[in-house]
Amino acid sequence: MTMLDDRQTAAPWPTAYPQGYAVVDVETTGLARDDRIVSAAVYRLDALGDVEDHWYTLVNPERDPGPVWIHGLTSEVLEGAPLFPEVAAELSERLADRVLVAHNAAFDWSMIAREYARASVVAPVQQRLCTIALAKELRLPLPNHKLASLAAHFGVVQQQAHHALDDARVLAEAFRPSLHAAARGGVRLPLLECRPLTEWSDSPVTPRVGYQPSRRPNTWRPSRKRPACPYPNPGRYEKEKPLRQGMRVAFSGDTSVDRELLEDRAVEAGLHVATSVSRLTSLLVTNDPDAATSKTQKAKAFGTPILEESAFTHLLRDVAPAEGAVLPRQTPPPSSE
């Protein structure tokens, strides 16, 4: 028995499926409300998921570029890049009349919508599709919901993680077989409505921009019982190196992402979420490292590395496996001969 090509479906291609997709990835200065896009890439796909063309641009964020060690884009590189209003029309041409597809689409869409609103332009997007949600609908046997795991499942080789163009390429190549699997199985696509912002006002400089309290004043949040981390603690986080499964991570202060969601993401990636800081803590995540909290004071006393939330969430995308862990096998790229 021969294996069916992913173009072959058990039934005719569903007429209710969209006729075109725009697979998008953006790199940003961070995750908060007033953070900016520093690069963007779009792969346009037809109704069957075949690539029509692709596009990439740098964007001058008019501010500090944020976690350079993640996306590699320094102030010097971005200085001569176009401002978002200068690329908005070209981006619109690639998004118009298509479903926006992204990995964690809520984030990419929110960053794009805010940039359009700042430029006093309405983003031409009506629907979005998150490939994490689609993977769940398809019940793919993934170890986690990172892009690298989705790519490995479909034999897609990533060449430069956190480069918008390569991330968009990887996602486009993984989306096509996902789309065909959904068609074969009669699976509905998890489409969500996009409501563009029509106006924008910058936040005040103080209090700290973009961060919402993870717990309200005068309220109590019970701690949740989490399963023990299955990986040994590999030690402290080292700058410009990836996080590694088993690291003990503590959080302090307000976060832009809901605290419980942030902790869940850390646990899913294989990290140990600690409720306090000790000599064994691998790193402390806080948006206010100068705050006189017990955790920040202990971290400084112990020499524990401290990271801002935006840098931490970027690092969460590619957590290195624990020593001795087996990675999913990736298919080597085809020979050019």
Side-chain angles (χ1 to χ4, degrees):
M1 187 169 97
T2 58
M3 184 177 294
L4 292 175
D5 183 88
D6 67 3
R7 287 176 175 276
Q8 295 176 273
T9 59
W13 197 266
T15 57
Y17 277 30
Q19 293 303 302
Y21 304 89
V23 177
V24 173
D25 185 78
V26 297
E27 295 298 320
T28 66
T29 61
L31 304 178
R33 178 182 184 273
D34 289 316
D35 276 304
R36 307 295 301 272
I37 290 175
V38 294
S39 65
V42 181
Y43 267 73
R44 288 197 290 191
L45 312 181
D46 64 17
L48 295 177
D50 293 323
V51 174
E52 295 177 335
D53 59 28
H54 64 267
W55 172 81
Y56 170 76
T57 185
L58 297 175
V59 181
N60 186 339
E62 302 180 276
R63 53 156 288 178
D64 183 277
V68 173
W69 59 94
I70 301 294
H71 52 61
L73 300 174
T74 64
S75 296
E76 291 73 22
V77 169
L78 297 170
E79 184 178 3
L83 303 179
F84 186 83
E86 297 172 330
V87 301
E90 202 165 0
L91 178 58
S92 294
E93 180 184 338
R94 286 159 172 79
L95 298 178
D97 301 320
R98 295 172 185 266
V99 172
L100 184 149
V101 177
H103 203 65
N104 189 11
F107 170 73
D108 292 80
W109 163 242
S110 65
M111 295 302 300
I112 290 170
R114 290 168 189 163
E115 290 287 9
Y116 270 98
R118 289 187 187 97
S120 301
V121 181
V122 176
V125 180
Q126 284 73 49
Q127 291 181 309
R128 68 177 183 269
L129 188 157
C130 179
T131 47
I132 295 176
L134 180 56
K136 291 179 179 179
E137 291 284 345
L138 294 172
R139 299 182 180 180
L140 299 181
L142 305 178
N144 52 53
H145 297 298
K146 296 190 295 183
L147 177 58
S149 296
L150 182 67
H153 177 77
F154 289 112
V156 179
V157 178
Q158 190 158 35
Q159 298 171 352
Q160 192 175 355
H162 305 307
H163 187 291
L165 184 60
D166 196 55
D167 280 353
R169 175 193 62 81
V170 167
L171 189 57
E173 291 183 19
F175 176 64
R176 180 175 178 274
S178 298
L179 181 64
H180 292 197
R184 284 196 301 270
V187 175
R188 71 169 187 86
L189 297 182
L191 302 174
L192 293 177
E193 180 185 3
C194 290
R195 296 184 179 181
L197 298 173
T198 56
E199 58 183 25
W200 179 263
S201 61
D202 289 322
S203 299
V205 175
T206 56
R208 194 169 175 82
V209 169
Y211 298 102
Q212 300 175 351
S214 55
R215 45 176 108 175
R216 292 185 176 87
N218 302 320
T219 62
W220 175 75
R221 186 188 70 180
S223 61
R224 292 187 296 166
K225 181 72 174 177
R226 297 183 182 278
C229 181
Y231 309 109
N233 186 350
R236 290 182 172 177
Y237 166 73
E238 297 181 42
K239 187 177 180 181
E240 298 186 3
K241 290 187 177 181
L243 298 172
R244 186 172 291 279
Q245 289 178 330
M247 283 186 170
R248 295 175 64 95
V249 181
F251 297 88
S252 178
D254 298 342
T255 53
S256 59
V257 176
D258 180 81
R259 173 69 68 81
E260 291 189 354
L261 177 59
L262 195 58
E263 291 177 352
D264 286 345
R265 289 178 179 175
V267 170
E268 180 182 314
L271 304 178
H272 177 135
V273 173
T275 57
S276 60
V277 174
S278 71
R279 296 183 186 278
L280 297 177
T281 305
S282 303
L283 73 154
L284 174 68
V285 178
T286 177
N287 290 317
D288 193 358
D290 296 321
T293 65
S294 61
K295 289 182 181 179
T296 54
Q297 289 177 337
K298 285 182 179 180
K300 291 176 181 179
F302 295 145
T304 304
I306 298 176
L307 281 180
E308 286 200 350
E309 179 189 358
S310 60
F312 176 72
T313 51
H314 275 82
L315 287 171
L316 271 182
R317 298 181 184 179
D318 292 294
V319 176
E323 292 292 339
V326 178
L327 284 171
R329 184 178 179 182
Q330 290 193 353
T331 303
S335 172
S336 59
E337 295 180 1

